[in-house]
Amino acid sequence: MRVVLGVAGGIAAYKACSLLRLLSEAGHDVTVVPTAAALKFVGAPTWAALSGKPVSTDVWTDVHEVPHVRLGQGADLVVVAPATADLLAKAATGQADDLLTNVLLTARCPVVLAPAMHTEMWDHPATQANVSTLTERGVHVVPPASGRLTGKDTGPGRLPEPEDLYAVCERELARSAAARTSTAFASADAAARGATTADVAGGGRRGDLTGRRVVVSAGGTREPIDPVRFLGNRSSGKQGLALAAAAAARGAQVTLVTSTPADLAGVDVVTIETALQLRDAVVAATAEADVVVMAAAVADFRPSTYVGTKIKKSHDTGADGSADESAPSITLVRNPDILAELVTSRGAASSPVIVGFAAETGDESGSVLDHGRAKLERKGCDVLVVNEVGEHKTFGADDNTVTILRRGSDESTEVGPASKAAVSDAVWDVVTTLL
């Protein structure tokens, strides 16, 4: 796909070289558009050698090809990394004094801006107002990371790592491709019904969660027996991480509570291990949330007693030195039902929207969907995502097949087999109708 990589004049411009290589190696056609200031940090020969294309900063080079319009119109994605405070201000106010800012004005594809600057500049009300304006327009602004900045300074303002930005770009490209396919099918259907393309082409997903606070839980919990052993389950956390990433891409402020290691650009990650830790973290994050998605596979039980030293497999007994080969007994107690507690604490209020997951297996008492509908009625959440699990099903896989149920409705949405990213967007499509 055709990608325009904009590079503004910040010290983090050197990281854009790695992002360019990742995009190129994935098969994308990348055109680099630096600002004049960016070339003070990384020269034009470097960009030309890595991209295989000539590099220009102004609108006068190859003017007969009208590059200031053509590049934006023809791109499938425009990403600017780093985006300086100056670039953000120009983009927010619609200035167009060089090739890159002209491209931003003419682009009708997804736009990703990755700010990088000193903490004081990032925190300044003017910069934050510009970020809010851009986000409201559907631009995906990737929050900067915290860490070492220029010199001895540390704090928020560091450009996220190229691998993280690449993942954001791939999600935007995949979402854009899916949206075009969906629109094409919808347009064909509309034509068959005598409708027009305009009847089906309104709006899009980018930015539809702007200003919303979202909490997502992910992964399986581990309930310790002793310092070595634990009770757990097969959950990989991939679906929960995909849900968090999709929400961030759609403009939400996301808190991810997870037992699965995660480093997602634009997502605040809280790491937990046990069900009790997960409950505490989710409850704390939910105070101001608009949506809570309980995608974690929370253990139903935990050992009633934690043994502080490793439980030995056998113990010597008696004068003859004979070994006790019996297995220890472990008494279990129930873990809290976090989903039910969230519904109860919300009471009659409509916020936050609460989404549950039901990992089910069919049995003699009913099908997977039967158990899912019963769970939705029992839990009282607004949306329940039902999927069949088992060995070689769902857990650890990159794709999923789900049925999305809504409280108070007999209708359901079937999704898959599809990537967990696509499933995530389908879930958020349903949730946004409730906000």
Side-chain angles (χ1 to χ4, degrees), residues 324-341:
D324 178 4
E325 298 292 348
S326 63
S329 296
I330 300 175
T331 302
L332 302 178
V333 296
R334 285 188 177 275
N335 271 323
D337 188 331
I338 303 172
L339 181 60
E341 287 183 357

Side-chain angles (χ1 to χ4, degrees), residues 171 175 234-246 357 387-389 393-402 415-428:
R171 287 197 297 269
R175 186 171 295 109
R234 296 178 184 272
S235 175
S236 67
K238 289 182 178 180
Q239 185 65 75
L241 268 58
L243 283 157
F357 268 67
N387 58 343
E388 184 176 5
V389 296
K393 290 183 180 179
T394 302
F395 288 142
D398 293 323
D399 57 4
N400 203 351
T401 302
V402 305
V415 184
S419 69
K420 290 184 175 178
V423 170
S424 298
D425 269 322
V427 173
W428 289 118

Side-chain angles (χ1 to χ4, degrees), residues 205 207-212 214 246-247 250-253 428 431-432 435:
R205 291 170 174 170
D208 60 1
L209 289 175
T210 297
R212 301 292 187 177
V214 168
R250 294 166 78 144
Q253 181 177 333
W428 289 118
V431 170
T432 53
L435 292 172

Side-chain angles (χ1 to χ4, degrees), residues 195-281:
T196 66
T197 301
D199 295 326
V200 298
R205 291 170 174 170
R206 285 187 297 122
D208 60 1
L209 289 175
T210 297
R212 301 292 187 177
R213 295 175 180 267
V214 168
V215 179
V216 178
S217 69
T221 61
R222 292 182 170 189
E223 310 301 325
I225 299 170
D226 63 19
V228 177
R229 305 174 181 90
F230 62 86
L231 297 178
N233 56 57
R234 296 178 184 272
S235 175
S236 67
K238 289 182 178 180
Q239 185 65 75
L241 268 58
L243 283 157
R250 294 166 78 144
Q253 181 177 333
V254 183
T255 297
L256 173 65
V257 180
T258 177
S259 61
T260 301
D263 184 13
L264 302 178
V267 175
D268 182 21
V269 179
V270 179
T271 303
I272 55 87
E273 184 170 88
T274 69
L276 295 180
Q277 292 171 351
L278 186 144
R279 178 178 66 174
D280 291 344

Side-chain angles (χ1 to χ4, degrees), residues 23 106 148 165 171 197 215 226 230 371 391:
L23 290 166
T106 57
R148 181 72 177 269
L165 294 177
R171 287 197 297 269
T197 301
V215 179
D226 63 19
F230 62 86
H371 290 309
E391 285 195 63

